[in-house]
Amino acid sequence: MGYATLDDLLGLAAKIMELHASEASLGKGREWKAAKKQYEAIVKQFNSKRKDYVDTVLVKGDDWSAISDVVENALDNIEASADASWQPAIQYTKDNLIPFLTKEARKSPLTRDAIKWSPVALAVVVVLAYFGIRFTSGVDVSATLESKLGLQQRAAAAEKVIQYHDWMGTRVRRGGWIKGILFWPIEPSDVEVKAADEFASVALGGFVVLAQQNEICGILMVGSGGQLSDEQIKFVDEIAEKIQEANLIWQEPPLMTVLQPIKEKFPCQ
């Protein structure tokens, strides 16, 4: 017997729905057969993990009468805040887990092995772990841009946005349901994205001003189509890190402080 979580089932369900859509778009040739074979393998894996999950939550000695409701409520909570792109995966999990769990919960505890986790504890862990990351990863950007704290907050937001897009492997929201599910808790909010844009404007604007005044030497490759280049993104990330260093000497007004790490990065020999 293995150990399984709702996240395991949701991940497999996302693959199943993606393969189902792919299989439906193919003909009856070799690619269709390969997709069908892979689909059947993932369904088999889901059913195996489903049994592991049921064994995980049905603990001998606990009251099993409410366990199906507890798990369904956990899925409802995830569904309520989920991106629309992975709603089919959640529904598939509901349709194929809850009836099976309800059936198994009606059996005598004597017919099942005792395991470590209680159903209520597991449901709480799943919900709190998933949504807790969302709340604790948020960046406060309430201070004004012109203040020291405001610049530090926006620097943190810029780092979060850059790191998120790096993990997603793209600068737009793509990558399928699985990435959407896994990275939703750390996805930057609209407010954080706006704050990151503000910091990027300050950093890149500082570079332009210093370059025009011949106070720095070097160039930054400019992106196309309104997008920042990789070099510009790396530059903003590095300046954001410098702005948050504890030993940084701040100037008045605080916005002038951004110029110092730019000068250090592009010195004139």
Side-chain angles (χ1 to χ4, degrees):
M1 182 186 69
Y3 171 79
T5 66
L6 277 179
D7 282 347
D8 294 330
L9 294 177
L10 286 169
L12 290 170
K15 291 181 181 179
I16 290 171
M17 300 309 297
E18 190 170 12
L19 286 168
H20 177 73
S22 174
E23 181 186 347
S25 65
L26 299 173
K28 292 294 182 179
R30 184 179 303 173
E31 290 183 351
W32 177 82
K33 291 181 179 178
K36 186 174 186 297
K37 185 176 181 180
Q38 188 178 6
Y39 173 85
E40 291 171 349
I42 298 297
V43 169
K44 184 177 180 181
Q45 188 178 355
F46 177 93
N47 291 339
S48 176
K49 280 292 183 182
R50 177 183 64 179
K51 184 180 184 304
D52 289 342
Y53 178 77
V54 170
D55 288 337
T56 299
V57 298
L58 295 182
V59 182
K60 186 182 295 183
D62 285 338
D63 180 10
W64 295 354
S65 61
I67 184 59
S68 294
D69 291 336
V70 171
V71 174
E72 188 168 12
N73 286 338
L75 288 169
D76 287 341
N77 288 333
I78 294 175
E79 185 177 24
S81 301
D83 187 89
S85 62
W86 50 278
Q87 295 289 338
I90 299 174
Q91 190 60 50
Y92 181 93
T93 303
K94 285 184 178 181
D95 292 343
N96 290 275
L97 171 62
I98 301 304
F100 181 80
L101 175 59
T102 301
K103 178 182 177 181
E104 293 297 305
R106 291 184 183 133
K107 295 180 179 179
S108 168
L110 296 178
T111 65
R112 311 190 59 85
D113 294 328
I115 55 176
K116 296 179 180 180
W117 293 90
S118 75
V120 175
L122 182 62
V124 170
V125 167
V126 169
V127 175
L128 291 184
Y130 191 78
F131 290 97
I133 293 174
R134 178 69 173 179
F135 295 128
T136 58
S137 68
V139 177
D140 180 12
V141 290
S142 58
T144 61
L145 172 63
E146 295 76 14
S147 66
K148 173 182 175 180
L149 179 57
L151 279 172
Q152 290 173 325
Q153 290 175 342
R154 283 159 179 79
E159 285 192 313
K160 176 178 179 178
V161 170
I162 292 170
Q163 183 65 79
Y164 172 78
H165 287 306
D166 182 54
W167 282 340
M168 287 292 287
T170 176
R171 293 183 195 170
V172 295
R173 183 74 183 259
R174 290 182 297 203
W177 294 322
I178 297 177
K179 280 187 177 180
I181 293 173
L182 292 178
F183 293 114
W184 175 81
I186 60 169
E187 180 181 6
S189 66
D190 291 341
V191 173
E192 290 169 336
V193 171
K194 181 176 182 294
D197 287 343
E198 290 174 346
F199 184 82
S201 296
V202 170
L204 293 170
F207 174 87
V208 171
V209 170
L210 292 174
Q212 290 174 344
Q213 296 176 354
N214 296 319
E215 295 187 42
I216 58 174
C217 296
I219 61 172
L220 278 177
M221 296 298 295
V222 179
S224 60
Q227 297 291 323
L228 297 181
S229 67
D230 290 341
E231 189 175 343
Q232 286 176 311
I233 293 174
K234 183 179 179 182
F235 166 76
V236 172
D237 195 25
E238 291 175 352
I239 302 304
E241 182 178 354
K242 290 288 186 181
I243 287 298
Q244 297 177 83
E245 290 181 351
N247 60 353
L248 181 65
I249 298 176
W250 283 82
Q251 302 178 30
E252 287 296 336
L255 283 170
M256 297 297 296
T257 310
V258 179
L259 302 180
Q260 186 56 40
I262 301 176
K263 291 179 181 179
E264 294 174 356
K265 181 173 175 61
F266 296 97
C268 290
Q269 301 296 337

